[in-house]
Amino acid sequence: MGKTFYGVELPNPLMLGTAQYPSPAILEEAFRASGAGVATVSLRREGAGGAGQTFWQMIADLDVLVLPNTAGCHTVKEAVTTAHMAREVFDTKWIKLELIGHTDSLQPDVFQLVEAARILSEDGFEVFPYTTEDLIVGERLLEAGCEVLMPWGAPIGSGRGLNNTYALRAMRAEFPDVPLVVDAGIGLPSHAAAAMELGFDAVLLNTAVARAGDPVAMAKAMMAAVEAGRMGFEADPIEARDMAEASTPVIGKAFLS
Amino acid sequence: MKIVLNGEARDVAATDLAGLLAECGFSGRVATSLNEEFVPAGLRAAQTLADGDRVEVVAPMQGG
């Protein structure tokens, strides 16, 4: 049995974003075809046409777990206010806490992240912090009340995969009982599989699917990848070695030379 | 009364936040803030408005 996310067991290890798809129909089909069990969503100013209500109805019909984000927030106050609005609109205590610190890399501002995580945890939120792979920041987030950590694989939307597998492996070793999610930077199914092979509990991605030439096929590929990666991790893989080791037995080989 | 609604200057008749939402045609799942402070749905009717107030009305949207 996998680890739970604030008491909730995910149906599978794929968390999928809902932004940037060519159309709402393709977004919907990507979820249905892949079976992704968690959808990240956001809040934006509502227009006169009520576009948000149409979107919400579609997400509600998918019958998935909803993880609202605080995307685009740069201050603790802004993120906390956004979280409160999200809790009311989406009727969930879950919040993907994003506090952006750097414009080009969208690197989290981990100092403000820890502060906001503490405020929100004390207020009853279940915080999914988008963080870096820094172990000490991870510790501080856990102390602040987080029960999940979501380090980046690479900058959001970059598709670079896992920039720092050493640090992600260290994080897995340091926090063996904490649900860990690689959030952001995934471009290929092999990246998602690699995260799962490290022993991560889930992968959160959006752009890699939404901007693929065939988002529905890519969503299915990502699901196959995370499931293969998890099975591989659980199967206790062999250690890599420098020299060959014959797999076919030498004993019994016919003498022919 | 002159307020700023979602970044746009508006002249409205409503004198409280709930009235403003009704006047401007907002319904369904929305959340509100007044001058950068969250106002829960249950407090909107009691939340009076003043000239120059900044109101934000947000709704579900695609996100990553």
Side-chain angles (χ1 to χ4, degrees), chain A residues 33-167:
Chain A
S34 68
V38 177
T40 57
V41 294
S42 195
L43 286 174
R44 288 293 179 260
R45 284 170 168 171
E46 178 70 311
Q53 310 309 313
T54 311
F55 171 69
W56 171 249
Q57 192 53 54
M58 193 252 283
I59 295 299
D61 290 345
L62 286 173
D63 197 24
V64 291
L65 293 157
V66 172
L67 177 58
N69 69 27
T70 63
C73 288
H74 287 77
T75 67
V76 171
K77 182 178 189 303
E78 196 182 10
V80 168
T81 302
T82 301
H84 278 279
M85 295 172 114
R87 181 162 67 177
E88 186 176 273
V89 164
F90 295 108
D91 196 21
T92 176
K93 290 187 278 188
W94 283 13
I95 189 77
K96 174 182 161 179
L97 184 59
E98 283 185 52
L99 260 153
I100 300 305
H102 189 261
T103 312
D104 290 337
S105 66
L106 300 180
Q107 178 166 338
D109 178 333
V110 295
F111 304 97
Q112 293 202 85
L113 180 67
V114 171
E115 192 184 338
R118 180 171 292 109
I119 292 167
L120 291 171
S121 297
E122 284 172 0
D123 207 353
F125 284 87
E126 296 174 342
V127 179
F128 293 62
Y130 168 61
T131 183
T132 65
E133 62 278 76
D134 189 294
L135 294 180
I136 310 307
V137 172
E139 266 180 32
R140 295 287 188 275
L141 287 167
L142 297 176
E143 285 167 13
C146 297
E147 295 180 17
V148 174
L149 297 175
M150 302 208 298
W152 61 350
I156 295 170
S158 69
R160 294 176 55 85
L162 309 183
N163 266 351
N164 192 346
T165 48
Y166 167 80

Side-chain angles (χ1 to χ4, degrees), chain A residues 180-193:
Chain A
L180 296 181
V181 182
V182 166
D183 175 8
I186 300 296
L188 295 168
S190 56
H191 302 152

